[in-house]
Amino acid sequence: MVVMMMKKMEPRLLAIMFMAALFFPSFVHSLVRHYKFSVVLKNTTKLCSTKSFVTVNGQFPGPTIHAREDDTVIVRVTNHVPYNVTLHWHGIKQFRSGWYDGPAYVTQCPIQPGQSYIYNFTITDQRGTLWWHAHITWLRATVHGAIVILPKRGIPYPFPKPDDEKIIVLGEWWKSDVEAVVDEATKSGGPPNISDAHTINGHPGPVAGCIFQGYTLHVESGKTYLLRIVNAALNDELFFKIAGHKLTVVEADASYVKPFEIDTIFLSPGQTTNVLLTANQPVGKYLIAITPFMDAPIGFDNLTATATLRYKGTPPYSKTMLSTIPAVNATEVTFRFIDSLRSINTNTYPARVPLTIDHDLFFAITVGVNPCDTCLQGIRIASAINNITFVMPTTSLLEANYYNIPGVFTEDFPPRPPMVFDYTGVQPTNLQSNNGTKLYRVKFNSSVQLVLQGTAMIAPENHPFHLHGYNFFVVGQGLGNFDPEKDPLTFNLVDPVERNTIGVPNAGWAAIRFRADNPGVWFLHCHLEVHTTWGLKMAFVVDNGEGPNESLLPPPPDLPKC
């Protein structure tokens, strides 16, 4: 529930504020928005199977946060479940407010059962669709929801104003307890069981052997709708398509893009996309489908989730118009979508791409195996960046850095792989990595270029990487091994798309740039939860700049303790 501060004020003060608003409109441009999140268990039946699972306020997906650019959002989170909990505000830059970013043992210790924590952050220079989710173990499977950030009051969208807006959250569903799935995989050392279905706004739709009513998107002929689409799935990249309708893409990861029309959009876990949908087809029912994308020889949930777009005035029992869905390995469909994304790059919304580089980093992404004395087979699958499998500490990295606590982490994360090899070709015979809690430190306002290189170790696969605390510009992507001499010549430094999560293509690479102007400790990790669990993660330490406006704020008094 959101409560505006103005509702609690005395009538006389409200009158003064009203007069001030008449003569000084900017006075009311920003608000403080309060939410109460109770993390609770709920019983539900899906896929003809009942289970208890973790939710916020008993909702799945969880409640939507609504705000405007420059608003302050305060969320009181109370943990009523037997698990430790943290919440991450995915894509919120958290300028100088890293204590509220949320990843467990990175910027905070978890909220323990029976405890509360107040997240308090201001939305600066952002507008669009983001989302929030749990950021500890695999709880985000059901603990997630959308964040809708409207432009400042009086500032229009840079595209035709829609008649209405709809939120569509895509997810995955396990019949089993998700935490038990992770525990079993940890004990075995192998991969976890795949999900049993995909969901659209919490509904899997009908599946074989279980008829279940899916989600219905109601529209009226002639109207245009802004669809705010979130991929909250744990491990699956997804296609989204509506039969008989074109979609106009206007935003990605809360950054405006040059509009383009397409029939299928593609989202990696963690990504958001806003599209305009015009209800310009004959009255009737039309199939909405989400299907997985996978072009690697590994196990995945290959089920299609369906919903229905229904026009007002559709007769009962009308036949649903169907559509051709992309092949599961339709790489060309993913490239067509990704290659169309370009920053809007206007005077109002410029693309401030760093043109000079202070830190030139090259991260090789690998999936190998390490010895494991407690695992059933004696080995455990391990993921690594530059041969470092990241080990989470038992206290917060941000606190350790802020208070100069020794022994929690080292600052020797390698900027390049320890060994150069044919990353997408013949692989080394040694598939082991080194464990460590290693960070990479950069000075305030440094410019960073990071090339994320996929490899063919064990099996090549897509890797959606998310950087906390920042947006970045995707200046280049390609297949095969990155060529440091030739590939930078093709970089887009004019209008590259601005994102917070980037899909590194199967057996390929992606190059991003960002300016490190936000002090704190910021997590970088694969947003396939299975890979994060295996250690595919690291963190940057960004130093304070000059003066208090370029420095991390002090920790809040209610910061959870480990």
mmCIF file of all heavy atoms in Angstrom, residues 425-452:
data_model
loop_
_atom_site.group_PDB
_atom_site.id
_atom_site.type_symbol
_atom_site.label_atom_id
_atom_site.label_comp_id
_atom_site.label_asym_id
_atom_site.label_seq_id
_atom_site.Cartn_x
_atom_site.Cartn_y
_atom_site.Cartn_z
ATOM 1 N N GLY A 425 36.549 -22.174 -29.491
ATOM 2 C CA GLY A 425 36.989 -23.332 -30.256
ATOM 3 C C GLY A 425 37.452 -24.449 -29.344
ATOM 4 O O GLY A 425 36.739 -24.858 -28.417
ATOM 5 N N VAL A 426 38.669 -24.942 -29.567
ATOM 6 C CA VAL A 426 39.220 -26.031 -28.762
ATOM 7 C C VAL A 426 39.493 -25.525 -27.351
ATOM 8 O O VAL A 426 40.173 -24.515 -27.161
ATOM 9 C CB VAL A 426 40.511 -26.576 -29.401
ATOM 10 C CG1 VAL A 426 41.104 -27.688 -28.525
ATOM 11 C CG2 VAL A 426 40.227 -27.099 -30.804
ATOM 12 N N GLN A 427 38.983 -26.247 -26.363
ATOM 13 C CA GLN A 427 39.073 -25.805 -24.972
ATOM 14 C C GLN A 427 40.243 -26.463 -24.236
ATOM 15 O O GLN A 427 40.710 -27.541 -24.619
ATOM 16 C CB GLN A 427 37.769 -26.125 -24.239
ATOM 17 C CG GLN A 427 36.559 -25.427 -24.836
ATOM 18 C CD GLN A 427 36.666 -23.922 -24.753
ATOM 19 O OE1 GLN A 427 36.620 -23.346 -23.687
ATOM 20 N NE2 GLN A 427 36.815 -23.274 -25.910
ATOM 21 N N PRO A 428 40.717 -25.842 -23.163
ATOM 22 C CA PRO A 428 41.784 -26.455 -22.353
ATOM 23 C C PRO A 428 41.316 -27.778 -21.750
ATOM 24 O O PRO A 428 40.120 -27.995 -21.530
ATOM 25 C CB PRO A 428 42.035 -25.412 -21.255
ATOM 26 C CG PRO A 428 41.455 -24.133 -21.769
ATOM 27 C CD PRO A 428 40.323 -24.513 -22.654
ATOM 28 N N THR A 429 42.256 -28.645 -21.480
ATOM 29 C CA THR A 429 41.909 -29.938 -20.866
ATOM 30 C C THR A 429 41.601 -29.789 -19.380
ATOM 31 O O THR A 429 40.856 -30.585 -18.812
ATOM 32 C CB THR A 429 43.057 -30.940 -21.043
ATOM 33 O OG1 THR A 429 44.260 -30.374 -20.520
ATOM 34 C CG2 THR A 429 43.258 -31.258 -22.528
ATOM 35 N N ASN A 430 42.159 -28.769 -18.740
ATOM 36 C CA ASN A 430 41.900 -28.528 -17.321
ATOM 37 C C ASN A 430 40.647 -27.669 -17.181
ATOM 38 O O ASN A 430 40.617 -26.514 -17.613
ATOM 39 C CB ASN A 430 43.097 -27.826 -16.671
ATOM 40 C CG ASN A 430 42.890 -27.602 -15.176
ATOM 41 O OD1 ASN A 430 41.896 -28.034 -14.598
ATOM 42 N ND2 ASN A 430 43.849 -26.925 -14.549
ATOM 43 N N LEU A 431 39.589 -28.252 -16.601
ATOM 44 C CA LEU A 431 38.321 -27.546 -16.478
ATOM 45 C C LEU A 431 38.111 -26.953 -15.091
ATOM 46 O O LEU A 431 37.024 -26.482 -14.771
ATOM 47 C CB LEU A 431 37.158 -28.504 -16.799
ATOM 48 C CG LEU A 431 37.179 -29.152 -18.186
ATOM 49 C CD1 LEU A 431 35.959 -30.058 -18.353
ATOM 50 C CD2 LEU A 431 37.219 -28.107 -19.290
ATOM 51 N N GLN A 432 39.154 -26.965 -14.253
ATOM 52 C CA GLN A 432 39.029 -26.445 -12.902
ATOM 53 C C GLN A 432 39.243 -24.933 -12.870
ATOM 54 O O GLN A 432 39.929 -24.356 -13.724
ATOM 55 C CB GLN A 432 40.042 -27.122 -11.963
ATOM 56 C CG GLN A 432 39.707 -28.555 -11.631
ATOM 57 C CD GLN A 432 40.635 -29.113 -10.570
ATOM 58 O OE1 GLN A 432 41.007 -30.279 -10.611
ATOM 59 N NE2 GLN A 432 40.993 -28.287 -9.594
ATOM 60 N N SER A 433 38.638 -24.293 -11.862
ATOM 61 C CA SER A 433 38.816 -22.861 -11.636
ATOM 62 C C SER A 433 39.327 -22.651 -10.213
ATOM 63 O O SER A 433 39.371 -23.580 -9.405
ATOM 64 C CB SER A 433 37.495 -22.116 -11.841
ATOM 65 O OG SER A 433 36.501 -22.605 -10.955
ATOM 66 N N ASN A 434 39.691 -21.420 -9.925
ATOM 67 C CA ASN A 434 40.148 -21.051 -8.581
ATOM 68 C C ASN A 434 39.027 -20.342 -7.833
ATOM 69 O O ASN A 434 38.343 -19.484 -8.398
ATOM 70 C CB ASN A 434 41.372 -20.135 -8.659
ATOM 71 C CG ASN A 434 42.566 -20.810 -9.292
ATOM 72 O OD1 ASN A 434 42.853 -21.975 -9.001
ATOM 73 N ND2 ASN A 434 43.275 -20.100 -10.157
ATOM 74 N N ASN A 435 38.841 -20.696 -6.574
ATOM 75 C CA ASN A 435 37.832 -20.030 -5.756
ATOM 76 C C ASN A 435 38.419 -18.771 -5.122
ATOM 77 O O ASN A 435 39.598 -18.734 -4.759
ATOM 78 C CB ASN A 435 37.339 -20.965 -4.648
ATOM 79 C CG ASN A 435 36.607 -22.172 -5.191
ATOM 80 O OD1 ASN A 435 35.968 -22.110 -6.229
ATOM 81 N ND2 ASN A 435 36.710 -23.287 -4.484
ATOM 82 N N GLY A 436 37.571 -17.753 -4.983
ATOM 83 C CA GLY A 436 38.069 -16.553 -4.331
ATOM 84 C C GLY A 436 37.006 -15.470 -4.231
ATOM 85 O O GLY A 436 36.038 -15.457 -5.003
ATOM 86 N N THR A 437 37.175 -14.584 -3.261
ATOM 87 C CA THR A 437 36.322 -13.402 -3.113
ATOM 88 C C THR A 437 37.167 -12.205 -3.512
ATOM 89 O O THR A 437 37.712 -11.481 -2.684
ATOM 90 C CB THR A 437 35.814 -13.264 -1.666
ATOM 91 O OG1 THR A 437 35.253 -14.518 -1.244
ATOM 92 C CG2 THR A 437 34.755 -12.188 -1.555
ATOM 93 N N LYS A 438 37.310 -12.039 -4.810
ATOM 94 C CA LYS A 438 38.185 -11.021 -5.381
ATOM 95 C C LYS A 438 37.354 -9.919 -6.036
ATOM 96 O O LYS A 438 36.435 -10.205 -6.798
ATOM 97 C CB LYS A 438 39.130 -11.647 -6.419
ATOM 98 C CG LYS A 438 40.040 -12.752 -5.866
ATOM 99 C CD LYS A 438 40.853 -13.405 -6.974
ATOM 100 C CE LYS A 438 41.730 -14.526 -6.446
ATOM 101 N NZ LYS A 438 42.835 -14.002 -5.623
ATOM 102 N N LEU A 439 37.683 -8.671 -5.750
ATOM 103 C CA LEU A 439 36.992 -7.520 -6.316
ATOM 104 C C LEU A 439 37.935 -6.733 -7.208
ATOM 105 O O LEU A 439 39.164 -6.883 -7.133
ATOM 106 C CB LEU A 439 36.446 -6.612 -5.206
ATOM 107 C CG LEU A 439 35.606 -7.266 -4.097
ATOM 108 C CD1 LEU A 439 34.984 -6.191 -3.211
ATOM 109 C CD2 LEU A 439 34.539 -8.177 -4.665
ATOM 110 N N TYR A 440 37.348 -5.868 -8.035
ATOM 111 C CA TYR A 440 38.138 -5.004 -8.921
ATOM 112 C C TYR A 440 37.818 -3.557 -8.563
ATOM 113 O O TYR A 440 36.661 -3.142 -8.599
ATOM 114 C CB TYR A 440 37.799 -5.276 -10.385
ATOM 115 C CG TYR A 440 38.699 -4.545 -11.360
ATOM 116 C CD1 TYR A 440 39.876 -5.136 -11.820
ATOM 117 C CD2 TYR A 440 38.396 -3.265 -11.803
ATOM 118 C CE1 TYR A 440 40.715 -4.475 -12.709
ATOM 119 C CE2 TYR A 440 39.227 -2.588 -12.680
ATOM 120 C CZ TYR A 440 40.382 -3.200 -13.128
ATOM 121 O OH TYR A 440 41.213 -2.536 -14.002
ATOM 122 N N ARG A 441 38.849 -2.774 -8.200
ATOM 123 C CA ARG A 441 38.656 -1.404 -7.728
ATOM 124 C C ARG A 441 38.904 -0.394 -8.855
ATOM 125 O O ARG A 441 39.876 -0.522 -9.612
ATOM 126 C CB ARG A 441 39.588 -1.106 -6.556
ATOM 127 C CG ARG A 441 39.374 0.280 -5.933
ATOM 128 C CD ARG A 441 40.265 0.509 -4.741
ATOM 129 N NE ARG A 441 39.903 -0.317 -3.599
ATOM 130 C CZ ARG A 441 38.971 0.030 -2.691
ATOM 131 N NH1 ARG A 441 38.310 1.173 -2.822
ATOM 132 N NH2 ARG A 441 38.718 -0.771 -1.676
ATOM 133 N N VAL A 442 38.021 0.604 -8.927
ATOM 134 C CA VAL A 442 38.188 1.697 -9.890
ATOM 135 C C VAL A 442 37.974 3.021 -9.169
ATOM 136 O O VAL A 442 37.225 3.103 -8.191
ATOM 137 C CB VAL A 442 37.216 1.581 -11.081
ATOM 138 C CG1 VAL A 442 37.452 0.296 -11.847
ATOM 139 C CG2 VAL A 442 35.765 1.635 -10.615
ATOM 140 N N LYS A 443 38.636 4.063 -9.664
ATOM 141 C CA LYS A 443 38.474 5.385 -9.101
ATOM 142 C C LYS A 443 37.159 6.012 -9.575
ATOM 143 O O LYS A 443 36.653 5.680 -10.648
ATOM 144 C CB LYS A 443 39.648 6.285 -9.498
ATOM 145 C CG LYS A 443 40.967 5.890 -8.856
ATOM 146 C CD LYS A 443 42.069 6.873 -9.244
ATOM 147 C CE LYS A 443 43.382 6.513 -8.573
ATOM 148 N NZ LYS A 443 44.473 7.453 -8.947
ATOM 149 N N PHE A 444 36.652 6.905 -8.749
ATOM 150 C CA PHE A 444 35.416 7.603 -9.092
ATOM 151 C C PHE A 444 35.563 8.309 -10.440
ATOM 152 O O PHE A 444 36.582 8.925 -10.735
ATOM 153 C CB PHE A 444 35.078 8.623 -8.004
ATOM 154 C CG PHE A 444 33.787 9.360 -8.237
ATOM 155 C CD1 PHE A 444 32.582 8.823 -7.811
ATOM 156 C CD2 PHE A 444 33.782 10.585 -8.879
ATOM 157 C CE1 PHE A 444 31.394 9.495 -8.030
ATOM 158 C CE2 PHE A 444 32.602 11.274 -9.099
ATOM 159 C CZ PHE A 444 31.405 10.721 -8.676
ATOM 160 N N ASN A 445 34.522 8.198 -11.256
ATOM 161 C CA ASN A 445 34.401 8.855 -12.562
ATOM 162 C C ASN A 445 35.302 8.250 -13.631
ATOM 163 O O ASN A 445 35.448 8.817 -14.715
ATOM 164 C CB ASN A 445 34.658 10.360 -12.461
ATOM 165 C CG ASN A 445 33.801 11.132 -13.447
ATOM 166 O OD1 ASN A 445 32.646 10.781 -13.681
ATOM 167 N ND2 ASN A 445 34.355 12.182 -14.026
ATOM 168 N N SER A 446 35.905 7.090 -13.342
ATOM 169 C CA SER A 446 36.682 6.405 -14.372
ATOM 170 C C SER A 446 35.746 5.864 -15.450
ATOM 171 O O SER A 446 34.592 5.520 -15.185
ATOM 172 C CB SER A 446 37.481 5.251 -13.761
ATOM 173 O OG SER A 446 38.422 5.707 -12.833
ATOM 174 N N SER A 447 36.266 5.757 -16.647
ATOM 175 C CA SER A 447 35.502 5.137 -17.733
ATOM 176 C C SER A 447 35.966 3.691 -17.887
ATOM 177 O O SER A 447 37.162 3.399 -17.829
ATOM 178 C CB SER A 447 35.697 5.895 -19.037
ATOM 179 O OG SER A 447 37.071 5.979 -19.370
ATOM 180 N N VAL A 448 35.004 2.807 -18.057
ATOM 181 C CA VAL A 448 35.288 1.367 -18.094
ATOM 182 C C VAL A 448 34.748 0.774 -19.393
ATOM 183 O O VAL A 448 33.601 1.016 -19.769
ATOM 184 C CB VAL A 448 34.646 0.642 -16.890
ATOM 185 C CG1 VAL A 448 34.934 -0.858 -16.956
ATOM 186 C CG2 VAL A 448 35.135 1.231 -15.575
ATOM 187 N N GLN A 449 35.589 0.026 -20.078
ATOM 188 C CA GLN A 449 35.127 -0.818 -21.186
ATOM 189 C C GLN A 449 35.310 -2.264 -20.772
ATOM 190 O O GLN A 449 36.386 -2.665 -20.324
ATOM 191 C CB GLN A 449 35.898 -0.549 -22.470
ATOM 192 C CG GLN A 449 35.496 -1.505 -23.612
ATOM 193 C CD GLN A 449 36.157 -1.170 -24.923
ATOM 194 O OE1 GLN A 449 35.837 -0.158 -25.540
ATOM 195 N NE2 GLN A 449 37.105 -2.000 -25.363
ATOM 196 N N LEU A 450 34.250 -3.041 -20.906
ATOM 197 C CA LEU A 450 34.276 -4.439 -20.512
ATOM 198 C C LEU A 450 33.803 -5.295 -21.677
ATOM 199 O O LEU A 450 32.684 -5.115 -22.173
ATOM 200 C CB LEU A 450 33.379 -4.666 -19.290
ATOM 201 C CG LEU A 450 33.093 -6.110 -18.884
ATOM 202 C CD1 LEU A 450 34.380 -6.860 -18.584
ATOM 203 C CD2 LEU A 450 32.156 -6.147 -17.679
ATOM 204 N N VAL A 451 34.656 -6.198 -22.129
ATOM 205 C CA VAL A 451 34.281 -7.189 -23.138
ATOM 206 C C VAL A 451 33.985 -8.496 -22.418
ATOM 207 O O VAL A 451 34.844 -9.043 -21.716
ATOM 208 C CB VAL A 451 35.391 -7.391 -24.183
ATOM 209 C CG1 VAL A 451 35.016 -8.526 -25.143
ATOM 210 C CG2 VAL A 451 35.642 -6.104 -24.952
ATOM 211 N N LEU A 452 32.766 -8.973 -22.560
ATOM 212 C CA LEU A 452 32.334 -10.245 -21.984
ATOM 213 C C LEU A 452 32.420 -11.306 -23.075
ATOM 214 O O LEU A 452 31.713 -11.235 -24.084
ATOM 215 C CB LEU A 452 30.906 -10.129 -21.456
ATOM 216 C CG LEU A 452 30.718 -9.172 -20.267
ATOM 217 C CD1 LEU A 452 29.271 -8.733 -20.156
ATOM 218 C CD2 LEU A 452 31.165 -9.843 -18.980
#
